[in-house]
């Protein structure tokens, strides 16, 4: 086989493999319908420190008569990543969707929804939900960017704007006052 044909064959193989691995070739409408039952689809977690990671496994059971295929999991926040297998799960079999929540950019009450798309009936979408309160570390100190931002906000206060007026000198003069020379 000539070298160019091998190259094209290899590229075609890689493209097909990538499409299959990404689930692009899977059409949920052509798969036989089944049913699924999630254990604990709504969860409330205890407070965690900012910067902590939370690993959340959601277990489900195929309660239908046909193989169950999870096609896609879409999280409502970029702080959460979903890991799942695209292999079909036989009747009565169990599977797990693993959510990894990173709290580095969150403070306070955080609620995350994950939409699971599968070959299920009557609706092919299911919602997994969890919430957690992310608290800052008690020893947390502000970095220079946060301190600078606070200082800039203070310097833009309304009192300074009133004092500066249009001259931007940091003071004002009283035109009715007696001038000293």
């Amino acid at each position: 086989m000539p070298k160019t044909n091998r190259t094209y064959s290899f590229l075609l193989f890689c493209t097909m493999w990538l499409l299959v691995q990404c689930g692009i070739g899977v059409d949920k409408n052509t798969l036989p319908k089944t049913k699924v039952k999630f254990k604990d689809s709504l969860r409330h977690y205890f407070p965690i420190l900012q910067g902590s990671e939370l690993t959340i496994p959601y277990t489900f059971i195929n309660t239908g008569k046909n193989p169950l295929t999870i096609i896609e999991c879409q999280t409502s926040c970029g702080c959460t990543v979903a890991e799942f297998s695209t292999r079909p799960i036989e009747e009565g079999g169990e599977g797990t969707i693993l959510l990894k929540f990173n709290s580095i950019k969150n403070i306070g009450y955080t609620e995350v929804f994950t939409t699971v798309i599968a070959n299920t009936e009557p609706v092919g979408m299911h919602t997994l939900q969890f919430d957690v309160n992310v608290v800052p570390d008690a020893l947390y100190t502000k970095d220079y960017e946060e301190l600078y931002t606070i200082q800039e906000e203070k310097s833009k206060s309304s009192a300074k704007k009133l004092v500066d007026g249009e001259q931007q000198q940091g003071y004002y003069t009283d035109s009715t006052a007696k001038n000293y020379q």
Side-chain angles (χ1 to χ4, degrees):
M1 197 187 309
K3 187 176 181 178
T4 56
N5 285 345
R6 280 187 276 169
T7 305
Y8 290 130
S9 298
F10 178 72
L11 288 174
L12 180 63
F13 171 77
C14 290
T15 304
M16 295 302 291
W17 180 81
L18 184 63
L19 290 174
V20 169
Q21 292 300 318
C22 292
I24 294 173
V26 176
D27 183 12
K28 72 175 183 172
N29 296 324
T30 60
L31 294 172
K33 301 295 182 191
T34 190
K35 294 183 179 183
V36 66
K37 179 169 176 34
F38 284 92
K39 298 177 183 176
D40 313 339
S41 62
L42 171 62
R43 298 184 185 179
H44 309 282
Y45 284 93
F46 293 108
I48 63 171
L49 284 176
Q50 182 184 22
S52 299
E53 292 187 4
L54 191 60
T55 303
I56 307 164
Y58 283 97
T59 304
F60 58 89
I61 300 173
N62 180 359
T63 58
K65 303 275 184 214
N66 295 312
L68 170 69
T69 302
I70 303 295
I71 299 168
E72 190 175 352
C73 290
Q74 301 170 345
T75 60
S76 64
C77 175
C79 59
T80 306
V81 176
E83 293 179 2
F84 60 96
S85 174
T86 56
R87 288 186 173 165
I89 297 167
E90 297 300 321
E91 175 184 351
E94 283 192 6
T96 302
I97 296 173
L98 191 65
L99 299 181
K100 293 184 177 180
F101 172 73
N102 187 344
S103 67
I104 193 74
K105 293 185 179 180
N106 299 6
I107 286 187
Y109 178 77
T110 304
E111 190 172 27
V112 178
F113 297 89
T114 302
T115 302
V116 179
I117 301 172
N119 64 322
T120 56
E121 59 182 1
V123 181
M125 294 191 299
H126 308 275
T127 302
L128 305 176
Q129 176 186 356
F130 73 90
D131 58 50
V132 63
N133 194 9
V134 181
V135 295
D137 187 1
L139 301 176
Y140 173 74
T141 56
K142 294 181 171 88
D143 66 3
Y144 69 95
E145 289 177 340
E146 291 173 299
L147 293 171
Y148 180 76
T149 304
I150 292 169
Q151 183 181 7
E152 285 296 308
E153 290 300 318
K154 285 182 181 176
S155 69
K156 293 178 183 176
S157 69
S158 60
K160 184 175 183 343
K161 289 179 185 175
L162 289 174
V163 169
D164 280 349
E166 291 182 81
Q167 297 177 354
Q168 301 291 322
Q169 296 175 353
Y171 64 92
Y172 70 97
T173 58
D174 185 2
S175 61
T176 61
K178 186 171 155 185
N179 284 334
Y180 297 101
Q181 298 207 20

